[in-house]
Amino acid sequence: MKNKFTKAILTIAMGSALLISCKPKNSGDAVSGDAAQKAYVAPGKYDEFYNFVSGGFSGQLSVYGLPSGRLFRVIPVFSVDPEKGYGYNEETKPMLNTSHGFVPWDDLHHTEMSQTNGEVDGRWVFGNANNTPRIARIDLKTFTTKEIIEIPNSAGNHSSPFITENTEYVVAGTRFSVPADNSDGDVPINTYKKNFKGHLSFVKVGKEGQMDIAFQIQCPGVNFDLSHAGKGKSHGWFFFSCYNTEQANTLLEVNASQRDKDFIMAVNWKKAEEYIKAGKGKLTPTKYAHNVYNESTHTATSEIKTQVLILDSKELKDICYMIPCPKSPHGCDVDPTGEYIVGSGKLAALIPVFSFDKLQNAIKNKQFEGEYDGIPVVKYEAALHGEVQKPGLGPLHTEFDGKGNAYTTFFVSSEVVKWDIKSLKVLDRVPTYYSVGHLCIPGGDSKKPFGKYLIAYNKITKDRYLPTGPELAQSAQIFDISGDKMQLILDFPTIGEPHYAQAAPADLIRNNGQLKFYKLEDNKHPFVTKGEKDTKVVRNGKRVDVYMTCIRSHFAPDNIEGIKMGDEVYFHITNLEQDWDVPHGFAIKGASTAELLIMPGETSTLKWNPDRVGMFPFYCTDFCSALHQEMQGYIRVSPTGSNVPISFSVGTNLPAPTQK
């Protein structure tokens, strides 16, 4: 006889199969009326919002305009990028350093914009590396990655990078609990309950954005899925969804879904700060990388740090509290007032909404139903505001419009549902195409959502776009939510596999001191060349440094001889342009790395090891002027031991040609 769990899985599976195989009856008229006009941005006009979308398994971050859905930029973060030379040039290689060495790929799931007083401020976007745990900070003055910090004692950095309302902390919870870094990890996997621990990391963010791990909280060995910070009245608290409270280590699809309820963990980080001041934290050995890109030297550095401060939730019982939540919760979202915390049990047919005031009262009056591995468990009803009844199948994520409404995605029933936060009544629902995961409302997790648009990020496209082989285009859909009813106005493909995304008004970012070019006089790169007269080629043993410049439409020097087999050649190229939107590229035949893409006033370095004797052309890869094709040069490579001297020139045939 099948148990309730098996029946639930069969029901969900059958529903998914029907949804995937059958197009919804109303899909033909899903976009109608003035939809096209609402999404249209005329040539030469700007979009209202920037939309920062995670690239998932691409490891990158993409930037789209709303409502047009136009792709503006792909920002390299956790993966090498041959288009921009990120991770290939000598300046950015340190950005991808970890305690495991150079890691050229990762899985960027979530984005989070910096906030001031709980409102999006347009300074930075944070991104998480899910595979080799890291957090990155992307500077919106340049739309480039400026800092990456590795997260120790962690595996699967999924529950991040969520921030507090003044960006005091960016916070991460481990998806996979593992033995702590300083303990013996060579233990049987089935000793999970004894040896595996979960850690929550609180990364301090300075005024200029600089990150540092302030402390970690050691917790029971569960899986932390997603999180959000409190705001307003709940500022000082953080909330995490937890699953696998069974602490299973195999076949989690069955063994981690046995209990009727898992938990939302409530963390009092203000109390944690008090304990740290009182000396309750323990410095624990570990290894993690901290990588910073210097805007002045145009060069990144990497530092390996060796300890972290840890608080034990089992010993300090008033830091963490467990709130029962329908099993396998995914999303954990906090409304703009900070009063309501929404949990989303993936296998539930309802949405629980918890009250922060009731939670505080329950803690005060010790309305507990016992402990979970030393952590007090608050009674479900004691913290519950209420339940949204029969909203849909497979609730995942919730965002808010600032008008008292919540919007939740339903993966199994392929829809977005709008409901009233206080009354918990369903107000509207629209189909998505298909199997929606995350959603984004500009400012939708802040104290002041901008509303107007909702973007759904779907996992399956099927019949939405022209087929492209076994793998289809990733999908996003834009809804107008300015009225009582949601209206689909556009769908568009995205890179990656999109997970979470955030958006903010274009003016907030565009007019916030965006950099147009790097001033040459401020360039402090150790190999900068600030004018053609200073170009040179210098040999030091087998190392050859080429101090090169580029400007429309030539390189200097553009003829180089005296390079020999076995040499290690470094091209340090400075773009002399001092105008907006005039980058130059550099590529050389046979290079085993990538090209360089050099912004105006910037210096970038390509390392090259010639693999044969001969003539090697190099050229500009970024179309820069009418004479872009003429922007090229030659390097002569001679045999090891050759007596051909180093020589270089531009505009003259030097040295004099010799007969061979």
Side-chain angles (χ1 to χ4, degrees):
M1 184 176 178
K2 298 180 177 68
N3 59 29
K4 291 181 180 180
F5 169 72
T6 305
K7 288 180 179 179
I9 291 295
L10 287 172
T11 301
I12 290 172
M14 290 172 66
S16 297
L18 288 170
L19 286 163
I20 292 170
S21 61
C22 301
K23 194 173 184 178
K25 293 179 180 179
N26 61 345
S27 64
D29 59 358
V31 179
S32 59
D34 61 348
Q37 182 178 349
K38 289 183 176 182
Y40 180 67
V41 177
K45 299 296 183 181
Y46 291 142
D47 279 274
E48 296 175 68
F49 294 90
Y50 285 104
N51 187 204
F52 300 94
V53 184
S54 71
F57 45 65
S58 77
Q60 315 297 32
L61 179 70
S62 54
V63 186
Y64 295 86
L66 299 177
S68 73
R70 297 179 294 190
L71 175 62
F72 294 149
R73 184 172 177 81
V74 176
I75 302 173
V77 184
F78 295 116
S79 297
V80 294
D81 181 19
E83 178 193 352
K84 301 175 182 66
Y86 181 85
Y88 291 106
N89 65 37
E90 296 303 296
E91 287 77 10
T92 58
K93 282 180 181 178
M95 294 299 288
L96 299 179
N97 189 42
T98 73
S99 63
H100 302 273
F102 182 79
V103 176
W105 168 86
D106 219 300
D107 185 11
L108 198 164
H109 269 225
H110 305 124
T111 62
E112 184 86 350
M113 299 191 72
S114 57
Q115 295 181 10
T116 301
N117 297 323
E119 299 180 19
V120 173
D121 59 28
R123 292 179 294 167
W124 312 303
V125 175
F126 298 92
N128 69 323
N130 190 27
N131 183 56
T132 303
R134 287 168 284 175
I135 291 173
R137 177 174 59 87
I138 295 94
D139 189 344
L140 294 182
K141 283 184 169 60
T142 58
F143 279 55
T144 55
T145 303
K146 288 296 186 290
E147 190 173 9
I148 295 178
I149 193 166
E150 188 178 1
I151 306 298
N153 295 309
S154 184
N157 181 39
H158 188 265
S159 186
S160 75
F162 299 100
I163 62 164
T164 52
E165 69 174 32
N166 287 297
T167 322
E168 298 97 337
Y169 294 104
V170 55
V171 180
T174 183
R175 174 181 174 184
F176 309 113
S177 287
V178 290
D181 289 353
N182 67 318
S183 65
D184 181 10
D186 182 21
V187 296
I189 297 173
N190 62 11
T191 63
Y192 187 113
K193 293 183 179 181
K194 177 183 178 183
N195 292 309
F196 289 47
K197 300 294 181 184
H199 285 78
L200 307 177
S201 303
F202 285 74
V203 180
K204 191 73 176 175
V205 182
K207 291 183 179 180
E208 301 302 318
Q210 64 273 23
M211 298 188 293
D212 188 33
I213 298 178
F215 62 92
Q216 293 185 316
I217 302 176
Q218 183 174 281
C219 298
V222 298
N223 293 48
F224 292 99
D225 201 342
L226 283 168
S227 54
H228 268 100
K231 54 179 73 77
K233 63 167 60 180
S234 56
H235 177 60
W237 288 76
F238 227 99
F239 305 94
F240 298 81
S241 58
C242 312
Y243 67 102
N244 191 25
T245 56
E246 297 85 351
Q247 296 186 316
N249 56 269
T250 182
L251 200 62
L252 265 63
E253 62 176 325
V254 174
N255 293 323
S257 299
Q258 297 296 309
R259 297 172 180 236
D260 286 336
K261 288 185 172 63
D262 285 302
F263 297 116
I264 298 294
M265 177 185 276
V267 178
N268 186 341
W269 59 263
K270 288 285 190 181
K271 177 63 70 174
E273 288 183 329
E274 292 177 13
Y275 278 126
I276 289 169
K277 288 180 181 178
K280 298 293 186 181
K282 297 177 182 177
L283 281 174
T284 306
T286 186
K287 284 177 64 178
Y288 63 97
H290 184 200
N291 311 327
V292 180
Y293 186 86
N294 186 304
E295 198 74 73
S296 177
T297 63
H298 303 181
T299 302
T301 55
S302 179
E303 176 187 3
I304 296 293
K305 298 192 173 183
T306 57
Q307 59 184 13
V308 66
L309 191 65
I310 293 181
L311 298 172
D312 191 334
S313 63
K314 201 169 184 176
E315 295 177 2
L316 308 170
K317 293 183 181 294
D318 53 354
I319 296 180
C320 299
Y321 299 90
M322 295 294 204
I323 310 169
C325 183
K327 61 181 160 187
S328 299
H330 188 54
C332 181
D333 302 285
V334 182
D335 89 306
T337 68
E339 166 62 12
Y340 301 108
I341 303 107
V342 181
S344 296
K346 299 193 294 287
L347 302 180
L350 54 81
I351 302 173
V353 181
F354 301 102
S355 160
F356 180 74
D357 287 342
K358 285 189 173 182
L359 171 65
Q360 296 305 296
N361 187 63
I363 293 171
K364 179 181 178 181
N365 295 315
K366 300 188 183 302
Q367 292 176 285
F368 303 137
E369 57 181 43
E371 292 186 349
Y372 178 83
D373 201 6
I375 296 179
V377 177
V378 176
K379 290 182 179 179
Y380 179 71
E381 294 77 10
L384 187 70
H385 165 62
E387 298 172 340
V388 182
Q389 297 292 326
K390 298 180 180 180
L393 293 175
L396 291 185
H397 302 281
T398 300
E399 295 240 320
F400 308 92
D401 63 6
K403 303 173 186 176
N405 303 311
Y407 300 75
T408 301
T409 57
F410 290 84
F411 179 81
V412 178
S413 52
S414 290
E415 59 185 331
V416 175
V417 174
K418 175 182 178 180
W419 49 277
D420 184 276
I421 301 171
K422 290 186 178 180
S423 71
L424 306 177
K425 292 181 179 179
V426 172
L427 304 175
D428 190 24
R429 63 179 70 238
V430 291
T432 59
Y433 308 99
Y434 305 95
S435 298
V436 60
H438 279 277
L439 77 162
C440 166
I441 294 173
D445 76 336
S446 71
K447 288 169 68 174
K448 186 179 178 182
F450 301 101
K452 192 165 185 179
Y453 300 116
L454 179 153
I455 310 92
Y457 303 95
N458 306 322
K459 301 302 183 185
I460 298 172
T461 58
K462 287 293 184 184
D463 47 29
R464 299 307 288 179
Y465 309 116
L466 287 172
T468 52
E471 185 183 18
L472 301 183
Q474 311 294 327
S475 171
Q477 295 184 297
I478 303 175
F479 295 84
D480 180 348
I481 60 169
S482 58
D484 292 334
K485 298 294 182 181
M486 294 177 278
Q487 180 189 21
L488 177 63
I489 62 174
L490 182 71
D491 62 4
F492 63 97
T494 68
I495 71 158
E497 179 206 354
H499 289 264
Y500 193 36
Q502 295 216 318
D507 286 348
L508 181 66
I509 298 169
R510 184 166 54 92
N511 300 331
N512 194 23
Q514 272 195 22
L515 186 74
K516 294 187 175 181
F517 59 87
Y518 296 96
K519 294 180 180 178
L520 268 176
E521 60 265 31
D522 296 335
N523 186 332
K524 294 181 174 56
H525 190 287
F527 294 96
V528 64
T529 306
K530 296 188 177 182
E532 283 192 19
K533 63 181 177 61
D534 299 318
T535 59
K536 58 187 175 181
V537 180
V538 178
R539 174 179 289 283
N540 185 5
K542 289 186 177 295
R543 175 178 172 129
V544 178
D545 290 286
V546 180
Y547 295 73
M548 182 179 282
T549 62
C550 56
I551 197 167
R552 288 166 287 184
S553 298
H554 65 273
F555 292 99
D558 62 6
N559 283 198
I560 300 172
E561 299 193 20
I563 306 299
K564 303 173 187 179
M565 285 294 295
D567 283 348
E568 196 169 70
V569 185
Y570 291 83
F571 297 96
H572 311 287
I573 306 174
T574 302
N575 183 345
L576 296 180
E577 307 284 357
Q578 291 290 269
D579 196 5
W580 194 18
D581 195 29
V582 193
H584 289 294
F586 175 84
I588 184 167
K589 180 183 176 182
S592 59
T593 50
E595 65 146 9
L596 296 179
L597 188 60
I598 315 146
M599 297 300 112
E602 185 181 32
T603 301
S604 189
T605 301
L606 182 74
K607 179 182 176 181
W608 180 58
N609 296 97
D611 67 344
R612 66 194 68 181
V613 170
M615 197 62 62
F616 291 83
F618 58 87
Y619 67 103
C620 177
T621 55
D622 192 286
F623 202 100
C624 54
S625 70
L627 297 177
H628 165 73
Q629 288 293 97
E630 284 73 15
M631 193 167 174
Q632 65 174 61
Y634 292 100
I635 294 180
R636 173 186 172 188
V637 177
S638 301
T640 302
S642 168
N643 60 3
V644 177
I646 287 286
S647 63
F648 54 94
S649 62
V650 59
T652 58
N653 280 318
L654 294 176
T658 58
Q659 297 293 325
K660 290 196 70 174

